[in-house]
Amino acid sequence: MQAIRFWAALLLLTVSLGLGAMPGLPTEGEFDETIPTPAEVLGFEPGEWHPRYDQMVTYLETLAEASDRVNIERIGTTHGQRPLLFLTFAAPERLERIDEIRAARRDASVSGDGPPVAWLGYSVHGNEASGASASLVTAWYLAASLDEDVLAWLDEMVIVMEPGLNPDGIDRFAHWVNMHKGRNPSADPADREHNEAWPNGRTNYYWFDLNRDWMPLVHPESKARKAQYHAWRPHVLTDHHEMGANSTYFFQPGVPERNNPLTPERNFELTARIAEFHGEFLDRAGEPYYTRESFDDYYVGKGSTYPDLTGGVGILFEQGSARGHVQDTVYGERTFADAVANQVTTSLSTLAATHALADELIDFQREFFADAREAARRDRNAGWVLGDDGDPARAAALIELLLGHDLAIHPTTEAVDIGGRSHEAGAAWVIPADQPHYTLLRSILDPVTDLPMETFYDVSAWPLGMSHDLPLDPVRRLPSHGSRLDEAPVIEHARPPADALAWVVPWGQYRDSALLSALLADGYRVQSAIETLTVPTARGDRELRRGSLIVHSGLQPDALDPIGPRLAELSERLGVEVLAAERGLSRSGIDLGSPSAPVLDPVNVAMLTGDGLRANHAGYLWHWFDVVLEQPLAMLDWTGLFRADLGAYSHLILPDGNYEFLPDWARERIESFVNGGGVLLALRGASTWVEGLDLDWRLVDEDNGNDEANDNGEVRERRAYGDFRQDFARELIGGSALNVTLDTTHPIGFGYERDELVVFRRGRQVMRAVDNAYAQPAIYADSPLAAGYLSESNRERLAGEPAISTSRHGQGTVIRMSDDAVFRGYWRGSERLLANALFFGQLIGSTELPEGQ
């Protein structure tokens, strides 16, 4: 095959540069000696040290300046203020026309015109660092090689590259391993170099896994990438990772039974064809590898799956890691340079495969989009309608996400009924099925519960209408609608007057919690209505739900600036409606000065962090506080809890994690915090752990039945040993959307109009109910599964059980939430549960009935 001829040609090159071998490349060959090597700029060969990201930037910008084959762009900036680089490689004549070629790619992908586009992506997980160094070697090779095959690639293809998908994580890991590298590095897996401190370098600035963000588009890295992705519509995309040290090298295809059912069969065939090139290249290098095990291709938010549902072929690579510079493994000693070499090898095999299969890949992409449009026309539904549900800002957030996926969305020009609620023109949008990304739309909009598999590498559901708690219905006929949106709607409310007796803020708006947080942090006095009311305003009478805010001008501290201008500024910036009340008497319900509208205390929140706790979940919470709530969050390492003044905090958050290792003194500090008047938020796995704290719990007795017997008292059946892994995985809850029934009269439920809500569940924890009929503000529905997979036994375990529980202990309160209210930063429909726990937890009173009741 051409792949074999290519590799043989590399081995036969005889013009030596007199340089040390770069990992994955031959030591000899014909190269342009004016092109600087990584070592000439960095001062070390790739694989000898881990380059910092700023060093990578310096080298790649130097390379682009020296070579007319390379174009480099800064397409964005990370949370940590590091530039996001995007490189394009092509022959000089083609590179001069690169903007023209990119502008034509959408049409070319549909018509089946070239050139083929190969996308190389490295180290989305920062501590899987061999990819980042491999990008430097591959970039130099493409810029400097005079080999005829490389020249053909550049003449006949466009090669684009993301050299480091996670700059913040790359730097965190490079700092760790470099500062622990001795002159004689230790290969001992127990050595400190190979065991990073919490939270480690895998994740981004806020500890999110960026390889789950291809669909949610929460972070700047993903948003910048997706704009380039949809401009280029690559035919092949690589995603270079690392796995555990005691592994070899994996490339796709993955587990056949766990592929996304929307992926075309032709995609699997091309993936297998491309795999032959990887195998041949690695065979030549004498490296072991495997396929069709361990990894699946199901969740659309991963880098190797997203292309499969958008017209390309995504390829996952997993290199057994050195997790540092050298490490002993069951396969012998592995150096960082060894890992880099394999990533370079499969980068080149990908380019060889893309070139050799160019016609087939181009034709596949044309067929993909043609088949998608044809399937859309055959669909009995013409598309979907989305309503704002009275919260235009939350709808705008979802629309912005959808636009990031290059989807066509149109505002309605007539009133429509969605989910039993009428939406006026402009408060609803049409999403036509007949568009190129119909396949992607089905994946992200349709809540599926009938799945062809029972085990998943990641989550099993991601329905965006449910995640945003917005009405989204398929329709047979599209309502009349306007032009396609270019950007999300800008939310504008009438500016509230700077001077008024009082102002009211309807609770239930997307950013109202940020407005409340800002006012309390400024020192203003804000009331919250714990009963409903109807208030006369300059814009007519307004019915307000429980939780709505009252800001009375007569209650504000004299030392502060007038509150009216501050309210107007926050209203405009956050897109939150603020209304001026015309008088203190309400039309109905409580009045503005009612004792049922208590003044809220400001909050000062801390969160436990550190070893054993789940960094991802802690990161979701930190990001929500910092970016959505726009307030600081004190993150306390649990090992220093003994010296922290917990009395300074109103709330202590326990994120998901393993708390069994916490020493007795740490448990006692948490118990004292609650008994002394603090509010404890125990989330996900922590929600069941706190039941063991000495807090005078009154919990409903657990069922002490014999788990080893069935309903007839018979010992459960014998099972095959080989079925264990499948049976075990079937009972996990890796990520499912579940229905809960909400008590909207409880402070935790304030702001919700309906008593049905879809939450996101990970983990098998089931909280014990409090022996108090008023203390379960959310319970799982009798049919809990809304989307994804949930085994029958888990459905039975969860049905009717508490999803959220509140209880008073001493002077304080414990709020337990079994689910993830801010999952991956995009499950916006349940964010309010967390906001209510923060601001209204102080309103939860004792609900003990008299004896005998």
Side-chain angles (χ1 to χ4, degrees):
M1 289 183 66
Q2 182 172 348
I4 299 175
R5 294 196 301 272
F6 164 75
W7 194 256
L10 287 180
L11 296 177
L12 291 173
L13 291 174
T14 58
V15 181
S16 175
L17 285 176
L19 298 172
M22 273 191 268
L25 297 180
T27 58
E28 297 180 334
E30 292 184 352
F31 302 95
D32 182 346
E33 297 187 47
T34 67
I35 304 302
T37 67
E40 289 172 338
V41 176
L42 301 179
F44 56 88
E45 292 287 350
E48 289 183 352
W49 292 84
H50 287 252
R52 302 187 311 271
Y53 188 74
D54 64 288
Q55 292 175 307
M56 293 176 60
V57 171
T58 296
Y59 174 68
L60 292 170
E61 290 184 337
T62 301
L63 181 73
E65 185 176 349
S67 173
D68 58 2
R69 304 178 184 178
V70 186
N71 181 62
I72 191 167
E73 302 171 75
R74 293 192 175 202
I75 60 173
T77 306
T78 71
H79 291 296
Q81 299 302 301
R82 294 174 175 86
L84 294 164
L85 299 186
F86 190 78
L87 281 74
T88 309
F89 300 87
E93 300 77 14
R94 171 163 284 166
L95 207 56
E96 290 177 357
R97 300 175 44 247
I98 206 65
D99 290 339
E100 173 189 338
I101 295 171
R102 176 163 41 192
R105 273 297 302 146
R106 278 187 174 87
D107 290 340
S109 68
V110 173
S111 62
D113 295 323
V117 179
W119 180 302
L120 305 177
Y122 300 95
S123 296
V124 69
H125 296 146
N127 61 2
E128 299 174 9
S130 57
S133 285
S135 75
L136 304 183
V137 177
T138 304
W140 173 80
Y141 188 69
L142 292 174
S145 177
L146 301 177
D147 177 79
E148 62 181 21
D149 287 316
V150 175
L151 296 177
W153 298 347
L154 297 169
D155 281 338
E156 300 168 23
M157 295 165 46
V158 173
I159 302 166
V160 298
M161 176 188 289
E162 283 186 284
L165 280 74
N166 180 6
D168 296 337
I170 288 170
D171 262 8
R172 201 155 64 236
F173 180 65
H175 175 71
W176 177 267
V177 293
N178 286 339
M179 78 175 184
H180 290 103
K181 177 190 178 185
R183 295 182 181 182
N184 299 284
S186 172
D188 186 343
D191 184 81
R192 184 171 171 81
E193 179 187 354
H194 309 304
N195 296 276
E196 298 167 81
W198 194 95
N200 76 45
R202 174 185 176 88
T203 51
N204 81 335
Y205 189 88
Y206 285 106
W207 310 338
F208 279 63
D209 187 335
L210 288 178
N211 197 40
R212 306 298 185 266
D213 197 45
W214 283 69
M215 188 276 293
L217 299 183
V218 169
H219 299 284
E221 299 91 337
S222 305
K223 293 176 181 178
R225 176 188 318 117
K226 206 52 66 74
Q228 294 294 326
Y229 178 88
H230 286 294
W232 278 112
R233 289 193 176 178
H235 297 90
V236 176
L237 180 145
T238 69
D239 189 17
H240 292 261
H241 289 254
E242 291 180 4
M243 52 184 165
N246 291 319
S247 307
T248 58
Y249 195 88
F250 169 87
F251 53 84
Q252 287 177 316
V255 180
E257 298 80 12
R258 287 170 22 203
N259 288 314
N260 192 300
L262 294 176
T263 303
E265 186 62 33
R266 182 65 175 140
N267 177 284
F268 302 136
E269 295 170 1
L270 286 168
T271 300
R273 293 282 303 281
I274 294 170
E276 295 177 11
F277 287 77
H278 307 321
E280 290 166 4
F281 275 49
L282 289 169
D283 285 343
R284 294 278 175 176
E287 291 293 328
Y289 55 84
Y290 71 99
T291 65
R292 301 185 299 278
E293 295 181 72
S294 304
F295 301 95
D296 68 22
D297 227 358
Y298 180 72
Y299 171 49
V300 71
K302 294 196 303 181
S304 60
T305 307
Y306 188 87
D308 295 343
L309 300 189
T310 53
V313 177
I315 306 293
L316 172 67
F317 297 114
E318 294 277 355
Q319 163 65 45
S321 182
R323 207 52 111 236
H325 293 89
V326 59
Q327 185 170 172
D328 289 332
T329 78
V330 295
Y331 297 99
E333 188 176 87
R334 177 180 294 127
T335 67
F336 181 45
D338 294 334
V340 173
N342 285 341
Q343 305 281 33
V344 172
T345 297
T346 51
S347 298
L348 301 182
S349 64
T350 298
L351 298 178
T354 305
H355 185 256
L357 303 175
D359 290 344
E360 295 177 64
L361 290 164
I362 291 171
D363 194 53
F364 163 71
Q365 190 172 75
R366 179 192 60 78
E367 288 181 355
F368 177 91
F369 290 118
D371 290 347
R373 299 296 289 264
E374 180 59 30
R377 297 180 186 115
R378 292 197 309 267
D379 194 323
R380 65 177 184 174
N381 294 314
W384 298 261
V385 288
L386 167 70
D388 71 6
D389 204 32
D391 188 0
R394 185 155 33 98
L398 176 53
I399 290 170
E400 181 181 11
L401 193 165
L402 295 173
L403 291 175
H405 291 290
D406 196 30
L407 298 170
I409 307 170
H410 306 258
T412 60
T413 55
E414 63 175 318
V416 295
D417 186 81
I418 314 171
R421 176 173 182 161
S422 179
H423 289 75
E424 297 299 321
W429 296 265
V430 165
I431 307 170
D434 189 6
Q435 55 179 301
H437 286 309
Y438 167 72
T439 306
L440 179 64
L441 279 170
R442 289 183 58 196
S443 174
I444 63 179
L445 298 186
D446 290 342
V448 178
T449 57
D450 185 14
L451 297 171
M453 70 280 284
E454 297 178 327
T455 60
F456 304 85
Y457 185 78
D458 195 70
V459 300
S460 64
W462 47 91
L464 290 181
M466 291 178 173
S467 71
H468 287 68
D469 192 29
L470 291 171
L472 177 71
D473 289 344
V475 290
R476 297 288 184 90
R477 180 190 67 83
L478 295 181
S480 62
H481 53 275
S483 301
R484 177 175 177 171
L485 295 178
D486 294 322
E487 59 183 14
V490 177
I491 307 305
E492 295 179 332
H493 294 289
R495 187 177 178 88
D499 188 24
L501 171 70
W503 298 263
V504 292
V505 181
W507 194 250
Q509 304 177 72
Y510 176 48
R511 298 298 304 281
D512 53 13
S513 57
L515 181 144
L516 172 58
S517 183
L519 293 178
L520 293 179
D522 289 346
Y524 293 109
R525 297 191 180 106
V526 182
Q527 301 162 261
S528 176
I530 62 175
E531 299 292 345
T532 60
L533 65 161
T534 301
V535 177
T537 76
R539 281 173 261 166
D541 291 354
R542 178 61 67 91
E543 296 181 10
L544 300 176
R545 302 172 193 165
R546 290 179 172 87
S548 294
L549 307 179
I550 302 169
V551 185
H552 205 294
S553 59
L555 293 180
Q556 303 312 314
D558 293 337
L560 296 181
D561 291 336
I563 194 170
R566 177 62 166 152
L567 272 172
E569 180 270 324
L570 289 170
S571 171
E572 182 177 1
R573 182 170 64 81
L574 298 173
V576 174
E577 184 180 32
V578 178
L579 302 166
E582 292 187 329
R583 63 182 190 178
L585 285 173
S586 297
R587 301 286 189 201
S588 63
I590 65 171
D591 296 321
L592 301 192
S594 167
S596 293
V599 174
L600 296 173
D601 292 329
V603 299
N604 185 23
V605 185
M607 177 177 68
L608 282 197
T609 60
D611 284 346
L613 307 188
R614 193 173 297 277
N616 282 148
H617 188 227
Y620 303 160
L621 296 162
W622 177 28
H623 176 267
W624 184 77
F625 270 88
D626 205 29
V627 175
V628 179
L629 203 60
E630 299 182 357
Q631 291 297 321
L633 172 66
M635 294 184 283
L636 311 179
D637 194 289
W638 68 262
T639 59
L641 202 58
F642 66 92
R643 60 175 173 266
D645 179 12
L646 293 185
Y649 304 103
S650 61
H651 295 66
L652 179 63
I653 298 176
L654 306 185
D656 191 30
N658 177 14
Y659 286 85
E660 297 303 326
F661 62 88
L662 253 64
D664 290 343
W665 61 262
R667 296 164 60 99
E668 291 167 2
R669 293 300 310 276
I670 296 172
E671 293 162 354
S672 296
F673 170 78
V674 175
N675 286 320
V679 178
L680 183 68
L681 271 66
L683 309 178
R684 283 179 52 174
S687 67
T688 54
W689 175 78
V690 295
E691 295 169 2
L693 295 178
D694 186 8
L695 290 173
D696 193 24
W697 288 94
R698 294 178 58 189
L699 299 172
V700 175
D701 289 339
E702 292 182 293
D703 180 7
N704 293 318
N706 180 8
D707 290 336
E708 293 300 318
N710 62 23
D711 293 339
N712 298 319
E714 299 168 341
V715 176
R716 63 175 59 164
E717 78 278 10
R718 178 174 177 242
R719 294 182 178 179
Y721 177 84
D723 292 340
F724 169 75
R725 292 174 63 183
Q726 180 76 7
D727 291 345
F728 180 84
R730 185 183 298 114
E731 296 305 318
L732 298 176
I733 307 178
S736 305
L738 303 186
N739 297 306
V740 300
T741 301
L742 199 61
D743 178 1
T744 59
T745 72
H746 193 287
I748 298 299
F750 283 179
Y752 286 99
E753 183 177 8
R754 297 176 297 277
D755 63 359
E756 298 102 5
L757 181 67
V758 175
V759 297
F760 199 84
R761 157 56 76 104
R762 303 198 83 179
R764 299 186 74 249
Q765 65 274 359
V766 178
M767 298 188 305
R768 293 176 63 188
V770 176
D771 191 11
N772 182 327
Y774 307 97
Q776 272 73 241
I779 62 172
Y780 295 107
D782 290 340
S783 298
L785 182 62
Y789 172 77
L790 192 68
S791 71
E792 285 298 330
S793 62
N794 280 322
R795 297 184 198 199
E796 294 172 3
R797 290 173 62 245
L798 290 171
E801 295 297 329
I804 303 175
S805 179
T806 65
S807 49
R808 299 281 298 176
H809 303 267
Q811 299 299 310
T813 302
V814 176
I815 301 174
R816 295 178 292 148
M817 294 186 176
S818 192
D819 302 300
D820 199 335
V822 290
F823 177 67
R824 288 182 179 168
Y826 79 96
W827 209 270
R828 295 184 173 94
S830 56
E831 286 180 2
R832 180 164 309 282
L833 299 174
L834 182 59
N836 288 348
L838 288 177
F839 297 113
F840 303 151
Q842 58 190 278
L843 304 179
I844 299 172
S846 175
T847 51
E848 297 292 333
L849 290 173
E851 290 289 334
Q853 298 296 311

